[in-house]
Every structure is written in structure tokens, then in C-alpha cells.
Amino acid sequence: MIEAGQDDEALAMTLAMLVPGAVEGVISDVTIIDRGMNEASRTVADAAGCRIRPSSEVHEALLRARSDWLMMIEPGARMLPGWIDRLASHLAYDGRPARFKRAQQVRASVLERFRQQRSALAFGLVVKKSAIAPRLEGTVGLRDVAKLVKPVTLDCAIVPAGRSPRRA
């Protein structure tokens, strides 16, 4: 699930990164929560075969997802190679909520980290629907859902939205 606004390029980048996961069967469907999407964002989501739900239906969209596991990620974020196998292993053998680890290439300076307000979904979230379903009442966004759990960190990296990898 992705909450998307008007940044169609960020949405397209993240959706393209998910395609190999869909091919491998780790991603079964993608639902986009409309947070002010423009026509370009809607076109990107539609071309990728995503379902679009209004922001008022976050709770219902979470409950109606086809999979027992939910993955929430911000538009513009992208996982680094190896994420599919590591995520598949986690889904098969571990029932705990999880997030991806920060890619070493995007380590912020001390000043940037001090100023930075990190989103609850900066490193994504993977959680069993049954683990959060009883506590979803009153959630208004995916970030609210992320605050309901204490995730472990997966051994696969993510470049958070809005960050670019540093060149060595």
C-alpha cells in the first residue's frame, strides 16, 4: 500500500521497483491511497494495475487487501537488490512486523539527522493484517498504522523517499 499525492515520478519509481516482487509472487496487489493525486499520478497508478482508494477508506483498504501480509511504503522509496529473497524468507518463517534497514549509501550527516523528522514509514513496514486489524479503528493514514507496531529490521536495505544514494 502506498499513500500518494501529486508526485507521479516518485510513485512511478517505487511501482517499477515493486514489479520484480510481483513477478516472484512476493507482491500480490498494490493499493494506492489517494492523498491529493493529480491526473498524472492516477495515470501512473492505473497503468501499473493498482487499485486507488480515497483517503477516507484507509481502514477498509487495509482490511480488504488480498494478502495476509501488508507492505506499506512511501512513494519515491526504493529497495536495494536482494530485498525479494529476504522479504520472502521473513514472510515464510517469521510473523513479526518488520521494516527495511537504511541503505548505507544514504547516511545523512549529523546535522541532517538532527534536523530530519523521519516519517513512521521512512523504512517501509511489513505487517500481518491479523496483527493490526483489531487496532485499526481510528487510523486515518498508513503512518498511523506504522505507529501501532514495533517492527524488527530486515537484512535488506531501502533508500527512503526523497533521498539519493551518495556516490563513493
Side-chain angles (χ1 to χ4, degrees), residues 3-159:
E3 287 183 321
Q6 297 187 13
D7 193 346
D8 55 298
E9 289 180 21
L11 180 60
M13 181 182 350
T14 299
L15 291 173
M17 179 267 322
L18 294 175
V19 170
V23 170
E24 294 294 325
V26 176
I27 305 292
S28 61
D29 66 310
V30 178
T31 300
I32 306 293
I33 305 297
D34 184 347
R35 293 278 182 198
M37 294 172 71
N38 58 18
E39 193 59 36
S41 296
R42 288 181 166 283
T43 300
V44 166
D46 187 53
C50 302
R51 285 185 273 159
I52 301 172
R53 303 294 295 254
S55 60
S56 61
E57 296 181 12
V58 171
H59 181 261
E60 185 178 330
L62 289 163
L63 293 176
R64 289 184 181 252
R66 282 193 264 167
S67 176
D68 291 335
W69 282 91
L70 305 171
M71 182 170 126
M72 296 165 229
I73 190 169
E74 294 182 328
R78 46 248 174 254
M79 274 77 80
L80 296 184
W83 73 272
I84 296 169
D85 291 337
R86 290 181 183 111
L87 180 59
S89 178
H90 180 79
L91 299 180
Y93 301 110
D94 196 333
R96 296 177 293 174
R99 64 181 181 168
F100 299 94
K101 70 180 179 181
R102 176 199 305 265
Q104 291 180 348
Q105 306 93 306
V106 294
R107 181 120 175 113
S109 71
V110 173
L111 184 58
E112 287 174 321
R113 286 190 306 246
F114 180 73
R115 289 183 180 167
Q116 182 180 16
Q117 281 195 318
R118 191 173 304 130
S119 159
L121 287 178
F123 303 109
L125 179 67
V126 180
V127 63
K128 262 191 170 178
K129 189 173 14 176
S130 61
I132 59 167
R135 305 185 308 179
L136 284 177
E137 199 61 45
T139 55
V140 293
L142 298 182
R143 290 180 179 139
D144 293 334
V145 175
K147 294 174 186 176
L148 295 175
V149 296
K150 289 202 68 101
V152 298
T153 301
L154 296 172
D155 187 27
C156 47
I158 188 171
V159 176

